[in-house]
Amino acid sequence: EGAGINCKKCKDGAKFLYEGKCKDKCEERTYSDISSGANKCVPCSEGCDTCSSGTECLKCFGDYSLDEKEARCVLECTEGMYSDQGVCKVCDSNCAACRESSAKCTKCHSDKEEKYLVESSGQCVDKTTCESKELVADGTTGICSPCASECEECKEEAAFCTKCKEGKFLEASAGVCLDTCAPRAFDKPGEDGAGGECLYCEANEVFVTTTKECENLCPARYYELNRQCFSCDSSCETCDSSDTCLNCINGYFLYKGLCYPSNCPAGTFNSVGSNCEDCSSLCSTCESSKYSCIDCAYGCFVYNEQCILSCPAGTVLVGSSCEECSSSCHDCPCTLAVSYTHLTLPTTPYV
């Protein structure tokens, strides 16, 4: 073993030749080969720490694992096996592939019976078991996985929603959850905190906003706007908008699109049916017609159910009304015309 010596064969049969030198024994990661009649040390195969021959490894090093069936070291065990402390071991019969342990599957067999992988536990289960766990058996991936984050429930695929979470609307044909439905669809809210759905009515149907259903016509006491039915005010029998009544329910009177309980509002009278019309501009209260005044505006006086600016001759002012003088009165003050030119008249003309 002197310097510069490059041996081809060792004299002593107990020595082993390795890299031009004679050794008492073969070094780590080599094996003794005596098949050629000359003892020599030969490197083990790739990744092998201890071997008995170039084709039979006993122990691997580093990231390598021993495939005992093939007696070689591999960086990845063949499918159906997993690495356990540097040795490839067979997966459980349910697993097509596994890791960490024989029962923790990463892929399921599907040739004999359709199985789906539950990734969280590494179990292989049938479709019924998968879906009973509120998961979905995804036929595309073979995984029994949770529904997509926007789905409350899903079917066949994790991203195909059949029910949405609160605040979202289901587009059923596409299985997606939207913030708002397409322009030709109607947002139908869900119940009990669940998401809603996008409802499509037929071309000849309308959408009732209170029931969230499609109907042929708007129900009674509703009005239609953009193919949607909205409820009238509770006092309206019919209406054409949320704040304009056309007819009132019993016991209410209609005036300028509003329904008033019991009576027409001040300054109006009940004309026809339950409709109210304005009194004459000089009347503050009237009945049966706009000129049948009961009370007048300030500065006017009632005479023969009309409001006038001053009491005529032969009458006397009593309160706010002009009363006829007695027929026996000749030289009483009643015969004097009373002028009220000092009063400020209403600016609205008498009609």
Side-chain angles (χ1 to χ4, degrees), residues 213-234:
E213 300 294 342
C214 296
E215 302 289 352
N216 291 325
L217 296 170
C218 287
R221 299 178 66 184
Y222 281 73
Y223 69 95
E224 182 181 342
L225 179 64
N226 297 328
R227 292 185 60 209
Q228 298 185 71
C229 300
F230 299 91
S231 59
C232 298
D233 183 83
S234 60

Side-chain angles (χ1 to χ4, degrees), residues 334-346:
C334 282
T335 59
L336 301 176
V338 183
S339 175
Y340 297 93
T341 56
H342 64 283
L343 297 174
T344 301
L345 301 179

